[in-house]
Amino acid sequence: MGEWSKKIGEKGEEIVDYFFKEILGYNSVLAGESIKCIKGEKHKVSKSDKTTHGIDGLISAKSPLEDNILDIGVISSKFTSKEYPNSPKSKFKEHIVDLAHTLECFKFSKLYAETNKKYTQIDRTNITGILVWTSNGSPETESIIPKVSNSLLDNDLIFEKIIVIDNDRINFYVETVLNAKEKFGENNVQFIYHNTNLNNSSLPTNSYGKFLPINYIFSNLIPLRIENGNNIDLVLFSKDNFDIENFSQLLAFAKNFDHLDSTQRVIISYPEFNELIDTPGISSVLSDFNHYKLNKNLFVRTHLSNFKNLS
């Protein structure tokens, strides 16, 4: 984990490369690409027409959640050594506009066509913009999302979807996925792909794998399959703190994973969990889930760490 600590003080592009490869499991992150701008006057910077758009990172994979779908992520890295702005809406809008303009031209680019040609049996391609806005000067748990969630964007921006990754979101993955890979070995940790009713053909042979689908990146729940010695564990990492309603929902969620090749234990991990205070509530919920026995085939834990000091 010391390697991640080093990345925080380096370029945003290197953070992106490490995050998507080492943590999220993508084999490659195409970086430093440039595409032609086909909307030069609309996308102009200052008084000059735009001629090109830079792409900080590009990921692609056939979706394990929907048959015959290609997912492409166009990544914009906005790293600052300073703190996040106290009032970040203006800068946030600037970043979103820049990425949205890139996405608008990307659909007509040679890079888009070349990426599609690498895959077979594709009926549709989904393009997602991914804004990675990280700050070395702000706490590792700092989130800009609440401060920009009600930002007003221009109606003429054209894009399918943009997700935002900030310090807090990356730290969640470090506390969970990176910790698991460090502890159990990268080859023993795999992401779980649930039944969406749109992946009926692929799910029987592709119910878990090495990469996290783009559609999961902003989820507050990360399901992992971990080979732990003689056990195969289903681990559910929650970004939300423990409460009884959430716990009951996660147990019901866990019951749906009957395709994981002999899962022996379920582990539910929260950022905050107090065994002394919260265990009585767990016992009451388990009366509706007779299959689970606390501390035998069901374990509830907490995950703690951060993405700046992991050496």
Side-chain angles (χ1 to χ4, degrees):
M1 291 190 191
E3 184 66 21
W4 178 252
S5 301
K6 296 176 184 177
K7 298 297 177 186
I8 297 306
E10 297 172 351
K11 296 179 182 179
E13 289 84 355
E14 294 184 17
I15 294 175
V16 163
D17 190 73
Y18 190 86
F19 177 62
F20 283 94
K21 282 184 181 178
E22 303 301 325
I23 300 181
L24 301 192
Y26 285 85
N27 287 331
S28 66
V29 179
L30 192 62
E33 293 291 320
S34 180
I35 62 172
K36 183 179 179 180
C37 178
I38 61 171
K39 301 280 187 177
E41 184 175 357
K42 176 184 176 183
H43 298 169
K44 68 171 53 179
V45 179
S46 187
K47 296 182 180 180
S48 301
D49 287 359
K50 190 79 170 177
T51 58
T52 61
H53 297 281
I55 294 179
D56 297 321
L58 187 79
I59 55 174
S60 61
K62 291 185 73 170
S63 173
L65 307 179
E66 188 172 355
D67 296 332
N68 304 322
I69 297 298
L70 174 63
D71 286 328
I72 296 178
V74 177
I75 304 166
S76 174
S77 174
K78 303 298 182 183
F79 170 79
T80 175
S81 60
K82 301 178 181 179
E83 296 181 358
Y84 286 123
N86 290 328
S87 300
K89 286 186 179 181
S90 176
K91 182 60 68 173
F92 172 73
K93 181 177 179 179
E94 179 183 319
H95 293 335
I96 291 293
V97 168
D98 178 63
L99 179 53
H101 287 171
T102 300
L103 293 172
E104 186 176 4
C105 293
F106 175 73
K107 291 187 294 184
F108 303 96
S109 70
K110 181 180 178 182
L111 179 59
Y112 171 75
E114 291 175 343
T115 303
N116 274 272
K117 286 180 181 178
K118 295 178 182 179
Y119 299 88
T120 59
Q121 297 181 320
I122 295 298
D123 296 332
R124 190 177 79 250
T125 299
N126 293 330
I127 303 172
T128 300
I130 305 174
L131 171 60
V132 182
W133 189 6
T134 50
S135 163
N136 190 52
S138 295
E140 66 277 354
T141 56
E142 180 78 16
S143 177
I144 61 165
I145 304 301
K147 297 179 180 179
V148 300
S149 59
N150 61 348
S151 297
L152 297 178
L153 300 177
D154 297 336
N155 292 329
D156 64 347
L157 294 180
I158 300 175
F159 59 89
E160 296 176 17
K161 180 170 63 174
I162 291 177
I163 60 177
V164 181
I165 307 298
D166 57 10
N167 278 18
D168 181 58
R169 182 62 52 172
I170 289 184
N171 191 61
F172 174 47
Y173 282 99
V174 170
E175 290 178 339
T176 56
V177 177
L178 187 59
N179 263 334
K181 289 184 176 183
E182 291 282 339
K183 182 175 182 179
F184 299 106
E186 183 176 350
N187 291 332
N188 296 320
V189 177
Q190 300 190 73
F191 297 100
I192 298 171
Y193 311 138
H194 74 285
N195 185 356
T196 65
N197 293 322
L198 297 173
N199 54 356
N200 297 324
S201 298
S202 61
L203 189 65
T205 57
N206 192 31
S207 58
Y208 49 87
K210 290 296 185 182
F211 76 95
L212 184 72
I214 292 174
N215 284 350
Y216 279 1
I217 292 177
F218 204 72
S219 172
N220 283 355
L221 178 67
I222 305 175
L224 296 181
R225 179 186 186 272
I226 297 180
E227 295 186 28
N228 180 11
N230 295 325
N231 293 313
I232 295 178
D233 297 337
L234 164 61
V235 182
L236 302 178
F237 285 116
S238 173
K239 194 173 187 300
D240 300 316
N241 290 327
F242 176 87
D243 65 49
I244 293 301
E245 182 178 357
N246 173 274
F247 176 69
S248 180
Q249 290 173 348
L250 291 190
L251 279 185
F253 183 79
K255 285 185 64 177
N256 292 326
F257 289 102
D258 55 1
H259 54 262
L260 296 180
D261 297 343
S262 304
T263 301
Q264 278 111 11
R265 306 190 305 179
V266 172
I267 299 170
I268 301 177
S269 182
Y270 293 95
E272 291 184 8
F273 173 74
N274 188 304
E275 184 176 359
L276 182 63
I277 296 174
D278 296 326
T279 297
I282 289 177
S283 300
S284 66
V285 172
L286 290 183
S287 62
D288 296 325
F289 297 89
N290 295 327
H291 172 70
Y292 296 114
K293 305 297 180 184
L294 188 62
N295 296 327
K296 293 188 180 295
N297 66 347
L298 172 68
F299 299 84
V300 185
R301 298 175 178 171
T302 182
H303 45 268
L304 296 173
S305 194
N306 73 67
F307 76 86
K308 290 185 180 178
N309 302 292
L310 295 172
S311 58

